[in-house]
């Protein structure tokens, strides 16, 4: 079976999830919730999904399994993951989101939420243990599909209201914003919320076929599309999100994507964060740009959430987290536009998008100038798709085998000066540039992140890093 927990939820091939595997893991989740006292028989549990062709069947199988396990499912339909999580937080209900996020359409996944937010690594281990126990018991799972009472309207109303009150009246007036709709579940809400705030909105590229958009590694083809639209429509920015609407995409006026970690930085400053948790893959200039404390973590929302929770437990206030993809999380309440913004400890795309656009509107500057004004080290990232997991593991094992092995691998690129092994290998070279190699936790991909003295040098370093990985794999 292809299923395993990655950096954010359970992932695997759609053909596996459309079978007994979904019933198995949904039942294991229910067992964990009720066995630990987090939920009780008869409690409501929310189920949502993205627009992948496999998601309706996977969702219906999960609904049947959860009901059989003793919970009362409510079908929230196609909606952004943060909207589902927000309704769960308000109602004190666990939830389950069927989504593969940004990975290819032949794959899918399930994200699990306790009533107080995303599950953590301990929960993952407990769900896996419950699944193994069910297998050991010889439990047979069919692929029965059931419906459930509707919860879509309530979830969308709550999430929409949260974002309609973030800015003053007319907070985006004067801006002409494109919304790349593709197949993200956030597409219609983006248009509605931006228009509510006074923007002149142009809807672009709507697709009824699922398109995997990775906001952390936007493809050259997508960038060309965005740049064409920006010029054609005279746009100040183009915004979008990934498949389940929890990772933002923002471009400047030329259609060039703004880096996700800069989006997260702007959102943190918009909120007035005192503590920021962010992975090691986020730009190394974040510390100097934040008027507060920065906590570095491994990649993945569970690790960011764990760091935020530790800060809250230590008595910190104004605690925010963001990932290198721009998805922004809040662990404490914030006062924004005279209203209380309640904590939403899961990745959100709409709030950081609004924060970036509000900054552009208030400064009356193009986003390219605003981005340049932060003076962060030049950074770039990309990944090799369809890169076997076994090959990624072998590469990382080899590079961790000793300083000489790593130096030999990097010899065509530069000389290692220091190495961090928090998540993957992050190597600072003798010229102070950085190359970070890390296998994806969600898909068969090998990722490379770099920083350099300028944009051109960053692009060269990224290309050299990806080429070195390809060469190593070809020579095995």
């Amino acid at each position: 079976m292809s299923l395993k927990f990655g950096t954010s939820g359970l992932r695997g091939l759609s053909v596996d999830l459309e079978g007994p595997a979904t019933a198995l893991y949904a039942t294991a989740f229910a067992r964990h919730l009720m066995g630990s006292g987090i939920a009780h028989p008869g409690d409501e549990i929310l189920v949502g999904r993205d627009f992948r062709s496999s998601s309706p069947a996977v969702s219906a199988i999960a609904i049947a399994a959860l009901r059989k396990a003793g919970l009362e499912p409510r079908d929230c339909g196609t909606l952004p993951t943060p909207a589902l999580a927000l309704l769960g937080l308000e109602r004190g209900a666990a939830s389950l989101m069927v989504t593969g996020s940004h990975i290819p359409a032949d794959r899918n996944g399930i994200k699990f939420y306790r009533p107080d937010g995303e599950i953590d690594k301990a929960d993952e281990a407990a769900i896996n243990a419950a699944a193994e126990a069910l297998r050991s018991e010889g439990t047979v799972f069919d692929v029965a599909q059931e419906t459930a009472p509707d919860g879509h309207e309530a979830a969308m109303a709550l999430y929409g209201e949260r974002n309609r009150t973030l800015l003053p009246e007319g907070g985006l007036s004067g801006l002409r914003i494109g919304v790349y709709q593709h197949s993200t579940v956030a597409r219609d809400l983006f248009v509605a919320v931006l228009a509510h705030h006074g923007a002149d909105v142009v809807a672009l590229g709507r697709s009824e076929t699922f398109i995997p958009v990775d906001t952390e590694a936007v493809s050259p083809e997508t960038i060309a599309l965005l740049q064409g639209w920006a010029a054609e429509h005279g746009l100040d920015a183009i915004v979008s999100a990934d498949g389940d609407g929890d990772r933002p995409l923002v471009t400047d006026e030329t259609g060039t994507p703004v880096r996700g970690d800069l989006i997260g930085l702007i959102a943190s400053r918009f909120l007035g964060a005192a503590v920021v948790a962010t992975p090691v893959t986020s730009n190394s200039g974040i510390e100097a740009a934040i008027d507060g404390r920065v906590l570095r973590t491994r990649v993945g929302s569970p690790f960011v959430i764990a760091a935020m929770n530790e800060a809250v437990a230590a008595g910190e206030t104004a605690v925010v987290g963001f990932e290198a993809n721009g998805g922004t999380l809040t662990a404490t309440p914030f006062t924004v536009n005279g209203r209380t913004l309640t904590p939403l400890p899961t990745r959100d795309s709409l709030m950081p998008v609004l924060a970036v656009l509000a900054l552009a509107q208030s400064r009356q500057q193009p986003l390219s100038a605003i981005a340049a004004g932060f003076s962060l080290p030049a950074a770039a990232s990309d990944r090799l798709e369809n890169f076997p997991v076994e090959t990624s593991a072998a590469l990382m094992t080899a590079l961790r085998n000793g300083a000489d092995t790593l130096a030999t691998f990097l010899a065509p690129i530069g000389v290692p000066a220091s190495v961090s092994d928090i998540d993957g290998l992050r190597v600072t070279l003798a010229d102070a540039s950085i190359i970070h190699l890390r296998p994806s936790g969600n898909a068969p991909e090998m990722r490379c992140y770099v920083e350099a003295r300028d944009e051109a040098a960053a692009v060269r370093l990224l290309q050299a890093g990806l080429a070195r990985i390809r060469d190593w794999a070809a020579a095995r």
Side-chain angles (χ1 to χ4, degrees), residues 124-445:
E124 286 182 7
I127 294 168
N128 271 329
E132 286 303 317
L134 287 163
R135 288 191 188 99
S136 299
E137 293 166 9
T139 306
V140 177
F141 291 97
D142 59 25
V143 289
Q145 299 184 25
E146 295 183 10
T147 60
D150 179 71
H152 178 78
E153 186 176 344
M156 293 299 284
L158 183 66
Y159 185 62
E161 180 64 14
R162 177 185 180 88
N163 289 285
R164 282 191 294 271
T165 58
L166 274 177
L167 305 179
E169 184 175 352
L172 300 182
S173 60
L175 295 182
R176 185 169 170 80
I177 309 297
V179 175
Y180 177 29
Q181 293 195 301
H182 64 94
S183 52
T184 175
V185 288
R187 58 192 182 186
D188 293 326
L189 188 64
F190 267 54
V191 170
V193 170
L194 295 177
H196 170 83
H197 287 301
D200 177 11
V201 182
V202 180
L204 303 163
R206 190 181 186 92
S207 173
E208 299 310 314
T209 302
F210 187 81
I211 299 175
V213 174
D214 186 346
T215 65
E216 196 174 351
V218 185
S219 70
E221 296 79 12
T222 300
I223 292 175
L225 195 65
L226 297 169
Q227 290 175 336
W229 283 331
E232 177 185 354
H233 297 284
L235 302 173
D236 295 299
I238 299 174
V239 301
S240 188
D242 63 337
D244 68 318
D246 70 347
R247 302 180 183 208
L249 172 63
V250 180
T251 81
D252 64 18
E253 71 283 359
T254 72
T256 302
V258 176
R259 283 188 55 83
D261 43 18
L262 177 55
I263 296 172
L265 169 60
I266 292 172
S268 299
R269 290 170 55 149
F270 171 78
L271 294 172
V275 178
V276 173
T278 194
V280 291
T281 49
S282 290
N283 195 287
S284 63
I286 297 295
E287 279 79 355
I290 284 284
D291 186 18
R293 193 157 64 95
V294 177
L295 309 175
R296 292 286 180 167
T297 75
R298 292 180 62 187
V299 175
S301 53
F303 299 110
V304 173
I305 292 168
M308 292 195 305
N309 288 343
E310 289 175 10
V312 173
E316 300 280 8
T317 58
V319 179
V320 171
F322 65 84
E323 298 191 69
N325 54 51
T328 305
L329 315 85
T330 52
T332 57
F334 288 88
T335 300
V336 182
N337 191 30
R339 296 174 180 244
T340 298
L341 188 71
T342 57
L344 182 54
T346 194
R347 282 192 303 261
D348 187 16
S349 64
L350 192 41
M351 183 274 288
V353 162
L354 291 174
V356 173
L357 297 180
L359 182 62
Q361 199 275 347
S362 66
R363 290 190 179 178
Q364 294 293 295
Q365 284 184 297
L367 274 175
S368 60
I370 290 174
F374 277 87
S375 300
L376 296 177
S381 63
D382 204 346
R383 84 281 199 207
L384 297 178
E385 298 180 273
N386 300 313
F387 198 85
V389 173
E390 298 78 13
T391 306
S392 295
L395 172 60
M396 300 311 292
T397 298
L399 296 182
R400 289 185 172 108
N401 195 38
D404 290 344
T405 304
L406 181 62
T408 299
F409 178 83
L410 292 174
I413 297 174
V415 178
S418 63
V419 180
S420 168
D421 202 4
I422 292 177
D423 196 342
L425 285 173
R426 188 173 180 86
V427 184
T428 301
L429 302 175
D431 64 357
S433 60
I434 294 171
I435 182 167
H436 186 159
L437 308 176
R438 175 184 163 272
S440 169
N442 294 320
E445 298 174 349

Side-chain angles (χ1 to χ4, degrees), residues 29-40 43-44 71 92-94 113-117 119 123:
F29 182 42
R31 274 200 177 188
H32 168 54
L33 291 172
M34 292 187 285
S36 58
I38 297 173
H40 302 90
D43 279 359
E44 181 181 60
L71 298 173
Y113 287 80
R114 299 187 310 242
D116 60 346
I119 63 169
D123 292 313

